[in-house]
Amino acid sequence: MRRLAGAASMLVLLIFAAPAPAATVKVAGDQINGLGNAILAAESGDTILIPNGNYLLTQGDVLKEKDLTLRGAGTDLTTITPSGGGDALEDPGVTVDTTSLTVGPAQKDSEEEAAADAAESDESDGIEAQAQIIALVVTFAIFMFVLDLVRRRRLAERYAILWMTAALALLVLSIWTGGLDALADLMGIQEPANAIFIIAFAVGFLLLLNFSAVSSRLGEETKVLAQEVARLDQELRHERSLRGGEPNGFSGRAADPEQAQDKPPVRAE
Amino acid sequence: MASESPQLRKLAIVPAFNESGMVARVIRDIRRAAPGFDIVVIDDGSTDTTAAHAESQGAVVIRHPFNLGIGGAMQSGYKYALRHGYDVAVQIDGDGQHKPEYLPELLAALQTEGDEADMVTGSRFLGEPGYKVPLGRRAGNLIFAVVMSAITRRRITDPTSGFRMTNRRGIELFARDYPHDYPEVEAILMLHAHRLRLHEIHVSMNARGYGKSSIDYPRSAYYMVKVLLAIFIGLFRRRPTAVEASGKDEILGGPPMDTGELQAITDGKR
């Protein structure tokens, strides 16, 4: 899409640029600085002729500003290697005569840009098959593990559903890579793998939050149970002591008779 | 209530966790200073002989199967008070920090204040605290005091004091719901939310409680944050009783109390 637009604008530019009188600047000097110097020396609209060799393309900003045309001595003879992202070559004002030169792969000056480029080149073919197979195997294993936990009654069904949904989502995304790309696009994330990480993080976060809530409730319930056990224990000891047997050394209180009266029977609820 | 003073059933709730060295003395002191009080010791999962020591003094002992923390222990005590129909309950720490000789004064304040007080707290800071309260503790207490005074629009000088006596309404409230850990400040907030009234009288305390305090520096930071958060959230909670909200009356584990009485209380809350 972008390339088409670039080509179209190039065409438009060629049509409009053609009538304008433009000088031609020849690149002189070494392959590292020559092209950059020529760009600096050129006037707006000039054409830069690049001789045989692999020239490093620097001064991208100036190139963009001056709307220069780059022409080589032949696709198999002249190569230009953009330093940095090489985005100047895609500037609508800049014309690259690709019939006379080859644009080599850009020199990476930072990992970030390299990664960005990699993402761009990945967009077409998604996750590699190898990673896809691993993802398939792992998610399938998770799925089976969850099922097995349920089978052995180690995991309540409602949590099983939760985890199996998560595993299923992973499975779907690892098979249907287009879905992942679409998802990444939707979220404005260049690298589909990052989209997976973010989604996984969000899901994990919610699960943990849910478990915190569950364990809070369990703690509350456990507290009530412990209090009840303690109460029943006390009442049992009390009853025993009233019957005269004092197996655990409980010595009754002075106020006991009165209390025995209003002590409610233990209800079986 | 003051008129039926002789018939009042009064309970001292003594939470104790590994206090075998102190608990017997605390019980004896309560007996001597306030013979009208029954005593229930909540042994909160002690691993020592706290329960045996308490039993040997003739106190009722409720033994938690494991440690629930001071909040859970106090609630057990209030549940006991509610089930056995006590009119007055007072908390006295099992570590000997609280002096039972103040019990009559607390009781008198609870009664003479009549409709004015549902809970009377023994405050260290209405006068001489009786021991050197560490600066950090004092500062923390001051912060809570300012915050709680602002919220309740009453002068509260010692919101962290656990030496407090409450009437039937307070017993019912706390039996239903009691804050989990570091409960004192939150409990005041609960009282306020249910329109129960607080009153403070001056007491001095023993330093004994502090020497073994569970509140060291990292914990006191947690304490501050936790309690302030609880206060903040509590402000947005109209009826702060989780138990009530879920309608689990049977959580008390026994027969429900007199329904008319309960109705009166719940009506009063709203």
Side-chain angles (χ1 to χ4, degrees), chain A residues 59-68 87-89 91 93-94:
Chain A
Q59 308 295 346
D61 290 342
V62 182
L63 179 63
K64 272 198 270 191
E65 207 174 295
K66 290 184 177 171
D67 293 343
L68 302 171
D87 55 340
L89 295 177
D91 188 88
V94 174

Side-chain angles (χ1 to χ4, degrees), chain B residues 55-101:
Chain B
E55 275 172 352
S56 73
Q57 295 298 316
V60 171
V61 178
I62 291 181
R63 240 183 326 207
H64 286 173
F66 48 84
N67 187 266
L68 293 182
I70 182 67
M74 283 317 307
Q75 194 184 18
S76 255
Y78 284 117
K79 283 180 175 178
Y80 180 87
L82 183 63
R83 286 181 63 79
H84 295 272
Y86 283 96
D87 304 299
V88 171
V90 62
Q91 317 179 188
I92 300 186
D93 279 1
D95 61 6
Q97 187 188 13
H98 303 150
K99 295 176 178 172
E101 57 258 42

Side-chain angles (χ1 to χ4, degrees), chain A:
Chain A
M1 210 37 199
R2 210 184 293 168
R3 249 161 242 165
L4 251 173
S9 61
M10 224 183 278
L11 247 163
V12 171
L13 215 102
L14 274 175
I15 292 163
F16 281 98
T24 299
V25 179
K26 278 194 162 180
V27 171
D30 62 54
Q31 302 192 340
I32 293 177
N33 297 314
L35 182 52
N37 289 339
I39 289 170
L40 286 176
E43 301 283 333
S44 280
D46 282 0
T47 296
I48 294 178
L49 268 182
I50 310 163
N52 294 1
N54 187 345
Y55 285 84
L56 188 65
L57 173 62
T58 55
Q59 308 295 346
D61 290 342
V62 182
L63 179 63
K64 272 198 270 191
E65 207 174 295
K66 290 184 177 171
D67 293 343
L68 302 171
T69 301
L70 300 181
R71 185 162 295 141
T75 48
D76 48 348
L77 298 174
T78 303
T79 304
I80 57 174
T81 301
S83 85
D87 55 340
L89 295 177
E90 287 175 13
D91 188 88
V94 174
T95 309
V96 180
D97 180 8
T98 47
T99 58
S100 63
L101 59 78
T102 304
V103 178
Q107 258 189 8
K108 308 301 181 205
D109 55 3
S110 75
E111 299 229 342
E112 212 176 5
E113 277 178 46
D117 274 18
E120 215 156 319
S121 64
D122 261 1
E123 252 172 85
S124 46
D125 49 28
I127 297 180
E128 300 210 2
Q130 209 175 351
Q132 208 171 344
I133 289 167
I134 292 173
L136 272 172
V137 170
V138 169
T139 45
F140 185 71
I142 293 173
F143 209 81
M144 293 314 289
F145 185 55
V146 172
L147 279 181
D148 191 51
L149 282 177
V150 177
R151 188 181 64 79
R152 287 186 288 143
R153 299 189 192 286
R154 299 262 299 273
L155 191 64
E157 277 83 356
R158 59 185 152 145
Y159 295 120
I161 290 169
L162 212 63
W163 287 113
M164 275 155 63
T165 309
L168 210 63
L170 276 177
L171 200 66
V172 166
L173 287 180
S174 59
I175 296 171
W176 181 46
T177 50
L180 186 56
D181 287 343
L183 210 60
D185 264 0
L186 201 69
M187 295 168 68
I189 297 166
Q190 278 194 322
E191 178 75 34
N194 285 341
I196 274 240
F197 282 131
I198 287 172
I199 292 167
F201 180 80
V203 170
F205 180 83
L206 288 177
L207 279 178
L208 286 177
L209 202 61
N210 176 47
F211 288 147
S212 286
V214 168
S215 85
S216 298
R217 198 193 65 222
L218 285 177
E220 185 62 27
E221 288 171 356
T222 307
K223 182 190 81 176
V224 172
L225 276 181
Q227 288 173 336
E228 282 303 281
V229 167
R231 176 179 71 83
L232 293 173
D233 167 70
Q234 185 269 325
E235 284 180 4
L236 187 65
R237 279 181 290 126
H238 182 71
E239 296 291 337
R240 279 188 186 153
S241 75
L242 284 184
R243 282 188 206 141
E246 296 184 16
N248 48 13
F250 182 93
S251 43
R253 300 178 311 145
D256 270 350
E258 177 199 345
Q259 199 197 313
Q261 300 267 308
D262 58 14
K263 179 186 287 295
V266 178
R267 288 200 309 185
E269 281 175 283

